[in-house]
Amino acid sequence: MSFTGKYQLQSHENFEPFMKALGLPDDQIQKGKDIKSISEIVQDGKKFKVTVTTGTKVLHNEFTIGEECEMEMLTGEKVKAVVQMEGDNKLVANLKGLKSVTELNGDTIINTLSMGDLTYKRISKRI
């Protein structure tokens, strides 16, 4: 199953408490909560390029499944991570105490970020 495509955020749960826990400033949280971000994913075998555009903020990460890479977090901090694939439709990464699980089901991507017992869930549809 290929992740390649453009996806628009449809809904999200727990955005504000999660972003506060990450340390994002309140003004950024308020600006970001109602923006329908666009995620563009290009998959070439085990190589991925992911670009997430939220208003004027663009987050760009590239990685190869199973290899250490540098990833930019929502806060702008760069961290080392290894992204693993579970089955043919799930990407899992651990970024400095944050667990990211991205699951593709047909034209829907569900991204769940967990930090301790706090979870943030994003649901995006292919456009």
Side-chain angles (χ1 to χ4, degrees), residues 14 17-18 21 97-99 112-120:
N14 243 358
F18 195 83
L98 179 76
K99 183 177 182 180
T112 308
L113 299 170
S114 311
M115 196 168 45
D117 45 4
L118 191 58
T119 300
Y120 168 50

Side-chain angles (χ1 to χ4, degrees), residues 9 11-35 74-75 113 115 118-122:
L9 181 68
S11 64
H12 52 159
E13 300 163 14
N14 243 358
F15 177 78
E16 289 185 61
F18 195 83
M19 295 304 146
K20 274 193 198 320
L22 272 183
L24 254 63
D26 284 345
D27 62 321
Q28 264 188 318
I29 293 170
Q30 290 309 312
K31 270 193 248 171
K33 72 177 183 173
D34 296 322
I35 296 174
L74 298 167
T75 56
L113 299 170
M115 196 168 45
L118 191 58
T119 300
Y120 168 50
K121 187 174 181 178
R122 299 167 44 92

